[in-house]
Amino acid sequence: DQPVPHDHAPPEFHGFNSVDITRFNYNGDGASFLCNSLSMFPCLKELNLINLNIKVIPDDVCGLQFLEKLDWSGNDFETLPETMKQLPRLKYISLCNCRRLKALPELVQLETCKKLKSIEGFPLCLKYLYAHGCESLETISFPLNHSIKHLDLSHCFCLKHEEHLITQFLTEGQNEEDSPRFACFPGTEVPTYFDKIGTGKAYTTGLPWPTPKLVGFDGCVVIACERGFRIQFSPLSYDYDWNYERYFHLYLQPDLFHCRDSSFHSTEEEEGGTSDHLVIIRRVKNISSSINKFGIQSNLQLSKEVRSPSAEIKACGFSLIWEDDMRDKIKTKKKKRRRPLDSLFS
């Protein structure tokens, strides 16, 4: 079917405030409902397309300028249109059981994102999650063997149990060699999870001899941002290289912008004068057994338009990942996966 131009939409559709098309259950092998265009419903306030195995949402969803609520649970799309950023009245989104969803667009300019209180039950295949500026967000739960490669929780100052969340992000995800994982959390100091901690941009430690098999590291960098500035990390904000496998050089290029509107200042910023964040890294790599020390060095590279020192690195730390530890964690994960099944026969 050809999309119906907005000016030629059937007149009987113009007055529709809601559309609800639902299958009773989601079937992973179910026939895909074709959704070629949404331009024929310009006055919609609510759109429910549930358990329809839809593979693609059309870009012209941006034409639903009155849309306030949508439920697209039980569908097979991998991404959502970037044009959703142009929906000014959207207040509620439900994407339950969208098992193939890999990335979400940055909807931080929408009112509902700022009111988000919890994130849980997202698909195992989801690789990118952005919740920058969700100042009401309190909890997030990572599923076992999650695939998150980049997570941005900057300026989510209501988050609870940050250290537990950081541990979950690092230890319960899928590890791929030469495919690092990055995250940004609010925080003022290197968490106790990291056992090698130093002030400033760099820290180095000696290794035991003979050296056990070293297969990677978890790292943390603390960045202090001046009051009135907001920091945000995109996937392009990170770059790195190795120096003879002894030193990991991390180059941070965040988006830093000045907030002239006082409504953007959180309570934490008002009280402390700075907005501190943690950059978290997991890097899995077979490292030479001949090295006798290991270190991390971080650099903050800001745009020339941003005056200095609007942000600076306060501290850094890391924990080394040994091959034996990795084996133990894999065994623990397998036990966790079996536990629900075992409980059925207990």
Side-chain angles (χ1 to χ4, degrees):
D1 295 340
Q2 294 295 321
V4 179
H6 177 86
D7 293 340
H8 296 88
E12 61 269 23
F13 291 165
H14 271 277
F16 279 26
N17 288 325
S18 66
V19 169
D20 191 334
I21 305 175
T22 304
R23 286 179 182 153
F24 186 69
N25 288 315
Y26 172 77
N27 182 350
D29 297 322
S32 177
F33 182 87
L34 297 179
C35 183
N36 294 324
S37 175
L38 294 167
S39 62
M40 62 189 68
F41 302 105
C43 298
L44 278 187
K45 293 184 177 180
E46 181 174 349
L47 176 60
N48 300 319
L49 303 173
I50 303 172
N51 297 332
L52 300 179
N53 300 86
I54 296 173
K55 294 183 178 180
V56 178
I57 298 294
D59 288 337
D60 66 5
V61 65
C62 62
L64 308 184
Q65 292 292 293
F66 297 96
L67 190 65
E68 298 179 358
K69 178 179 179 181
L70 62 83
D71 188 340
W72 292 342
S73 300
N75 286 295
D76 295 336
F77 40 73
E78 295 185 357
T79 61
L80 294 176
E82 289 292 324
T83 56
M84 288 179 63
K85 297 177 182 179
Q86 303 171 31
L87 298 174
R89 303 191 183 189
L90 190 61
K91 297 179 180 178
Y92 174 88
I93 301 177
S94 179
L95 299 170
C96 300
N97 209 25
C98 293
R99 300 177 182 178
R100 301 184 185 181
L101 187 63
K102 293 182 179 180
L104 296 172
E106 295 185 61
L107 301 176
V108 295
Q109 82 281 12
L110 303 181
E111 179 182 358
T112 182
C113 294
K114 293 184 180 294
K115 293 183 178 179
L116 188 68
K117 289 193 173 182
S118 66
I119 301 175
E120 58 185 24
F122 52 80
L124 284 176
C125 59
L126 187 69
K127 293 184 178 181
Y128 305 96
L129 181 59
Y130 307 100
H132 169 83
C134 293
E135 296 176 357
S136 297
L137 184 64
E138 296 180 355
T139 60
I140 178 171
S141 177
F142 296 100
L144 190 63
N145 284 328
H146 68 81
S147 302
I148 297 292
K149 297 296 181 187
H150 179 253
L151 172 68
D152 187 358
L153 297 176
S154 55
H155 291 269
C156 297
F157 290 112
C158 287
L159 266 180
K160 299 177 180 178
H161 313 298
E162 291 99 333
E163 290 212 18
H164 174 69
L165 293 177
I166 291 170
T167 303
Q168 266 196 321
F169 171 76
L170 291 171
T171 63
E172 298 192 359
Q174 297 182 25
N175 294 311
E176 299 178 17
E177 187 171 348
D178 295 325
S179 181
R181 291 191 273 127
F182 296 98
C184 181
F185 291 82
T188 58
E189 58 185 22
V190 178
T192 56
Y193 172 89
F194 303 93
D195 54 7
K196 314 294 184 185
I197 301 175
T199 58
K201 300 179 180 180
Y203 188 78
T204 303
T205 185
L207 299 180
W209 186 263
T211 304
K213 183 62 176 175
L214 184 60
V215 295
F217 74 95
D218 294 324
C220 176
V221 176
V222 183
I223 298 178
C225 206
E226 247 187 41
R227 180 184 166 213
F229 286 86
R230 290 175 72 87
I231 198 166
Q232 184 175 4
F233 285 87
S234 72
L236 301 178
S237 298
Y238 306 94
D239 197 7
Y240 62 90
D241 61 43
W242 290 90
N243 183 357
Y244 301 106
E245 293 195 340
R246 289 181 172 85
Y247 301 101
F248 181 81
H249 292 263
L250 178 64
Y251 305 99
L252 300 173
Q253 299 173 312
D255 297 320
L256 192 68
F257 48 95
H258 191 271
C259 297
R260 294 177 175 82
D261 185 351
S262 61
S263 64
F264 283 100
H265 302 320
S266 66
T267 302
E268 286 79 2
E269 292 172 301
E270 293 289 345
E271 292 178 352
T274 62
S275 167
D276 291 1
H277 284 83
L278 311 178
V279 173
I280 304 296
I281 316 107
R282 165 157 282 212
R283 185 71 166 89
V284 175
K285 174 184 172 66
N286 284 318
I287 299 175
S288 172
S289 58
S290 63
I291 64 173
N292 57 9
K293 58 183 177 180
F294 180 85
I296 184 172
Q297 181 171 345
S298 54
N299 294 279
L300 189 61
Q301 301 173 339
L302 302 177
S303 169
K304 293 180 180 179
E305 290 77 19
V306 178
R307 66 176 177 83
S308 180
S310 50
E312 63 178 352
I313 295 174
K314 289 174 52 179
C316 64
F318 59 86
S319 290
L320 300 175
I321 305 174
W322 306 102
E323 187 176 46
D324 291 343
D325 294 337
M326 186 72 78
R327 288 200 190 104
D328 292 341
K329 288 176 181 177
I330 292 173
K331 291 178 182 178
T332 301
K333 285 184 179 182
K334 289 181 178 178
K335 288 180 181 179
K336 286 183 178 180
R337 285 200 296 267
R338 288 198 298 263
R339 194 171 297 161
L341 185 62
D342 295 341
S343 64
L344 294 176
F345 301 97
S346 60

